[in-house]
Amino acid sequence: MKEKILEKATDMFLNLGFKSVTMDDLANEMGISKKTIYTHYENKTKLVEESTSHLLHCISHGIDHICGLEKNPIKELYEIKKFVMLHLKDEKSSPQYQLQKYYPKVYGMMRERQYELMEDCVLDNIRRGVEQGIYRENLNKDFVARIYFMGVTSIKDQKLFPMNKFPVATLMDDYLEYHLRGIITPKGRKILNAIINSNQE
């Protein structure tokens, strides 16, 4: 039952937002009593904490799988973006914004873990891109990895990028292209342009 509550809560948080979903909503949706939920999770904060941890685990597992396929590094970044967007339901309810505002401690812990989980994958992506001649040789790999992570997390700031002006899917595409154009070689540019053109068809 604990797992079922966690899965349902995670799904509802992503679709409706961390603040918007109450324990009553969750109980009603599952057809169980609130008491049953409290047997497994002492309060909503604990449930939010476990839910973000569960989500992070699922996403990092999926990203590890994509990285393990050792695809072309540019294609790999697009595959990861597609996978994350699918898991985060396109972030219609801006869960990250609500998490940051109403559960800052949980948000802080998630940010730290997020970087730890992403670091190896991003650094490996850069290293392989340089080896294959599609990323520039003179890159400061650590700098590029960190600036990429900062960008990925910062574009979710709704004060900077309000959703009515910057739809999430377009924003992610624009950011990825911006990141890649700064590090690719002419050989890499051909691959990137081919991906962008095929995405527009």
Side-chain angles (χ1 to χ4, degrees):
M1 180 53 83
K2 188 175 183 181
E3 279 298 307
K4 281 183 181 170
I5 294 168
L6 188 62
E7 301 247 330
K8 189 49 146 177
T10 304
D11 188 56
M12 288 178 77
F13 288 147
L14 283 178
N15 280 307
L16 305 164
F18 286 98
K19 175 80 167 78
S20 314
V21 177
T22 65
M23 295 300 239
D24 281 314
D25 294 334
L26 181 58
N28 290 338
E29 186 69 27
M30 292 189 74
I32 57 175
S33 69
K34 260 201 312 189
K35 195 178 166 189
T36 306
I37 298 173
Y38 286 121
T39 307
H40 299 286
Y41 300 96
E42 57 191 89
N43 52 42
K44 187 180 168 186
T45 304
K46 193 72 192 156
L47 183 57
V48 167
E49 202 176 298
E50 296 233 3
S51 175
T52 52
S53 193
H54 170 68
L55 186 62
L56 209 54
H57 174 75
C58 289
I59 289 174
S60 72
H61 186 70
I63 290 174
D64 283 348
H65 173 71
I66 293 168
C67 291
L69 299 172
E70 297 214 340
K71 291 187 169 201
N72 167 297
I74 295 173
K75 286 181 183 166
E76 180 178 273
L77 288 182
Y78 275 93
E79 284 293 312
I80 289 172
K81 184 215 69 157
K82 205 159 76 180
F83 172 78
V84 171
M85 292 293 287
L86 196 72
H87 256 72
L88 295 181
K89 323 271 187 195
D90 289 347
E91 301 201 348
K92 295 181 202 77
S93 62
S94 61
Q96 182 157 322
Y97 174 73
Q98 288 198 8
L99 192 65
Q100 190 174 1
K101 190 172 179 185
Y102 300 105
Y103 300 93
K105 267 190 181 167
V106 179
Y107 176 77
M109 279 163 27
M110 188 194 75
R111 272 289 292 261
E112 271 181 42
R113 281 196 55 212
Q114 220 176 355
Y115 181 66
E116 284 166 20
L117 293 167
M118 263 182 77
E119 188 181 20
D120 288 344
C121 180
V122 176
L123 279 168
D124 184 59
N125 179 281
I126 297 164
R127 182 186 55 73
R128 283 187 294 113
V130 171
E131 280 171 8
Q132 292 174 29
I134 57 177
Y135 295 166
R136 289 187 288 111
E137 267 184 28
N138 61 342
L139 294 176
N140 178 336
K141 297 180 185 67
D142 272 332
F143 171 77
V144 173
R146 284 160 198 258
I147 210 82
Y148 173 71
F149 175 76
M150 283 302 295
V152 163
T153 50
S154 298
I155 61 171
K156 290 172 185 167
D157 183 336
Q158 295 228 335
K159 284 179 189 160
L160 275 174
F161 299 100
M163 273 175 138
N164 58 336
K165 261 180 134 176
F166 301 95
V168 179
T170 313
L171 189 59
M172 291 296 283
D173 275 337
D174 288 348
Y175 174 68
L176 197 47
E177 183 181 347
Y178 173 81
H179 163 73
L180 284 164
R181 288 210 183 274
I183 64 172
I184 51 178
T185 60
K187 183 180 171 186
R189 197 175 303 123
K190 285 179 185 166
I191 297 165
L192 177 62
N193 289 339
I195 291 171
I196 291 169
N197 292 335
S198 72
N199 285 347
Q200 285 168 352
E201 281 168 10

